[in-house]
Amino acid sequence: MDIRGNGSTTTAALSRFACGPVLAVAAAVTALQSALAGRYGFHRDELYFLVAGRHLAWGYVDQPPLTPLLGRLSTAVFGDSPLGLRMVAVLLCAGTIVLTALAARELGARRGGQTLAAAGAAVSAMVLALGHMLSTASFDLFAWTGIGVLVLRLLRTGERRWWPAIGAAVGVALLNKDLVLLLAAALLPSIAWTGDRRVLRGPWPWVGALLAVLVAGPNLYWQARHGWPQLTVASGISDQDGVANRLTFVPMQLLYLSPVLIPVWLAGLRRLRGEAELSWARPLAYGYLGLCALVLLLGGKPYYALPPLLLVMAAGCQPAVERMWPVPRRRVRLVGVLLLAAAVNAVITLPVLPARQLAALAWVYPESAEQVGWPELAGAAGAGWARIPAEQRGRAVVFTSNYGEAGALARYGGGFGLPAPYSGHMSFADWGPPPDSATGPVLLIHPAPYPKVESAFRDCREVARVDNGHGLANQEQHAPILLCAGTVAPWSELWPRLRHFY
């Protein structure tokens, strides 16, 4: 079927996939990420995932089960190190680059356009950042881009039997994060209003929806059984950061992609909205804009809308190549701006600089600073633990105010003679309080942002402070280590009060 006009579909032959250059771009990024993966250390979230991977479940209060599971599998295969944990993120990054090129191919790009799409994804700040460390967004970026390719295939061919594949992919994405529902909420109305409505008819969309629910069912059951705690966490993010997220949404969208790729992105948006031959793909443009509106309305983080942004950029790659590549001076300019974007974004998002120089960039990308100082925190806690008389350590407890600190002590604390830590933050609270027989002393880590935490303990005094050794201002730098005589009530009574999500 080859029908032109609004809401049309087309089965015109696609160009051959540019396998060589696309895989070369993905391989180059994989090599770079692998070489730099262990230069700083674990991120606070990664330390949390390492512990969560030892408490495998169908859900956690702040996330579905997939990312901790991937972390556990990655360390089992590639080794228990920052590189071993991050290899799964590195591979997901390479997959995202390939999927972006496949999206460009669906949108009519030939060899040059597909290569530019792969290169554009490879040099974007967010793809580099999410390929460097394991996070829920690492898999989201890959999964959403893959869903986008499947939706483009559905719209281009009009073949409704693609719905089961889409539904299965959405179900897997739901096992990682519920945010994929925002993508569905933006794309489905866009297809109904601006696309070929025929793809929404018949049983196949319902088969896809049923598959999504079946795949995600175990986590949905876990969330329902535990009172939907992820909604509580999401509400807290919106309440705490919603205004800042809304104010920075537009500039961060452009920075995440890369300012040098803005002309390509704009060309893709114009092409999707106005080019007759791509009228079948028009829902992608309006779906992306609808997703932006939903994220702004909910006060979500700007990166939530990044994957469709890559797809819109991919739509502009073939016209950019046709305009730039035949003219030698423009060709040099195109390669130059891509190399410039790669260099700038690599310095910002990857561990290129020495840790002592990170302060110059941490204000732009604070996640880099959260990969420094965790062994030093464990060392400071160890110094505090040494102040506890040996005969009292059997009933003593180490308690931290957040999951990053608890994860760091679980990882490094044994080297300083520390017992397993406890925390009321996120899923650490679900992994249990100390026994009531642990009457103290209590070594309390970093209670400053959480005054309610300190009020649960008595006779506290500072015995050490954290110093990461690089003069780098991050959340734990100069954090106090307090030694408290004990608790104001048994742990079983205090635990609900000590639980917190923010």
Side-chain angles (χ1 to χ4, degrees), residues 177-201:
K177 216 167 186 178
D178 295 340
L179 286 174
V180 72
L181 295 176
L182 292 181
L183 179 65
L187 276 177
L188 290 174
S190 297
I191 294 173
W193 296 335
T194 68
D196 184 354
R197 296 182 184 87
R198 288 172 293 183
V199 300
L200 298 174
R201 298 172 186 161

Side-chain angles (χ1 to χ4, degrees), residues 1-4 9-15 105-108 153 155-158 277-278 280:
M1 177 168 53
D2 188 359
I3 306 171
R4 305 296 179 183
T9 59
T10 175
T11 55
L14 296 175
S15 299
R105 178 174 178 258
E106 290 290 330
L107 292 163
R153 177 62 62 94
L155 295 174
R156 184 180 63 81
T157 64
E277 291 189 356
L278 280 185
W280 58 269

